[in-house]
Amino acid sequence: MSETFDEVTTLKRRTFVAASTAAAGLPRLTSDRLPISTPTPADRLSTVRLTVNGEQRTAQVDNRTSLLDLLREHLDLPGTKKGCDQGACGACTVLVDDRRVNACLTLAVMHQGAHVTTIEGLARGEQLHPLQQAFIDHDGLQCGYCTPGQVMSGVACIAEGHTGSREEIREWMSGNLCRCGAYTNIVSAIEQTAKEA
C-alpha cells in the first residue's frame, strides 16, 4: 500500500515534533497526558467581593489576577475584551465606581467593595443603553471587537462632560483603538447621545 504525500509529510512532522520535544526535555502534549498545573499557594489567594452590574459577586483569586481576568474567567462576563493586555487599546475598558478603567492594568484585589459596570450591565433588559443604540444607528462598529470598550469609554466621556465638540470627543476617546477605522461613526454616536442626554 502506497502512502500519499500528505500522509508522509504528516508522519514526518509528527516524528520531528516528538523527537525535538524529547531532545529539549519538554513534556509531550497529548490529549491523554497534559501537564498538571500546580495549585496556587493559599498565601497568594484573596477573596474579592465587589458589585458587578448591580449584583454582589465574590471570587477567590490569585493576588496577581487582573480585574479583566476576574471578570472574564471567574465571573463569566466575556463582554469585556482582552485586546493588547498592556493598556494600549482600550478593549477592556470598564467603569469602576463610575470612572473608566483599563481592566487589564489593575489587579482585582485593588477593587475590594467597588462597583464595576461592564458592557453586560448597560442595557436594561431588552432596552439598550442610548449609546449602544447610537452605535447601531451610526454604524459605529465593524468587526465589533473593540465595541464594548468603545461604548464603556463613550459612556464615561459623556458623564465627564467631554463632548463639547467632535475634536474634544476624539481627544477623550483616544485611548480606545478601532482597527477597522470606524472612528468617525463612533464620534457621531457619542455626539448624538450627549445631545439627547
Side-chain angles (χ1 to χ4, degrees), residues 14-195:
R14 286 185 186 152
T15 305
F16 172 77
V17 170
S20 58
T21 56
L26 300 173
R28 208 171 143 205
L29 298 179
T30 62
S31 59
D32 60 332
R33 200 187 106 191
L34 296 174
I36 299 169
S37 62
T38 56
T40 303
D43 64 339
R44 289 203 334 232
L45 292 174
S46 292
T47 300
V48 178
R49 291 178 182 85
L50 34 75
T51 303
V52 182
N53 300 328
E55 182 183 333
Q56 290 285 330
R57 303 294 299 265
T58 303
Q60 189 172 44
V61 297
D62 185 304
N63 293 333
R64 300 166 295 176
T65 302
S66 69
L67 179 58
L68 174 61
D69 288 339
L70 170 70
L71 294 169
R72 290 180 59 82
E73 297 172 16
H74 297 273
L75 301 182
D76 197 28
L77 293 167
T80 304
K81 301 302 182 208
K82 184 177 275 201
C84 66
D85 214 18
Q86 298 175 352
C89 74
C92 66
T93 304
V94 296
L95 302 180
V96 177
D97 295 327
D98 296 324
R99 294 183 57 164
R100 55 180 137 178
V101 169
N102 286 344
C104 73
L105 290 183
T106 185
L107 297 174
V109 295
M110 295 171 65
H111 300 288
Q112 194 71 256
H115 290 264
V116 178
T117 305
T118 69
I119 192 70
E120 292 95 341
L122 282 187
R124 297 291 172 243
E126 296 296 313
Q127 181 69 40
L128 293 177
H129 183 280
L131 186 55
Q132 290 173 307
Q133 186 60 55
F135 263 67
I136 294 168
D137 296 345
H138 289 276
D139 199 19
L141 59 142
Q142 287 183 37
C143 80
Y145 196 82
C146 74
T147 305
Q150 296 276 2
V151 170
M152 298 308 295
S153 198
V155 166
C157 185
I158 293 167
E160 294 160 4
H162 299 299
T163 57
S165 67
R166 292 180 69 82
E167 292 74 23
E168 184 179 15
I169 293 169
R170 277 196 289 274
E171 176 66 27
W172 286 90
M173 290 294 293
S174 62
N176 291 78
L177 303 180
C178 173
R179 291 189 173 107
C180 299
Y183 295 114
T184 301
N185 300 349
I186 290 168
V187 171
S188 296
I190 295 169
E191 186 177 46
Q192 171 192 308
T193 306
K195 286 177 182 172

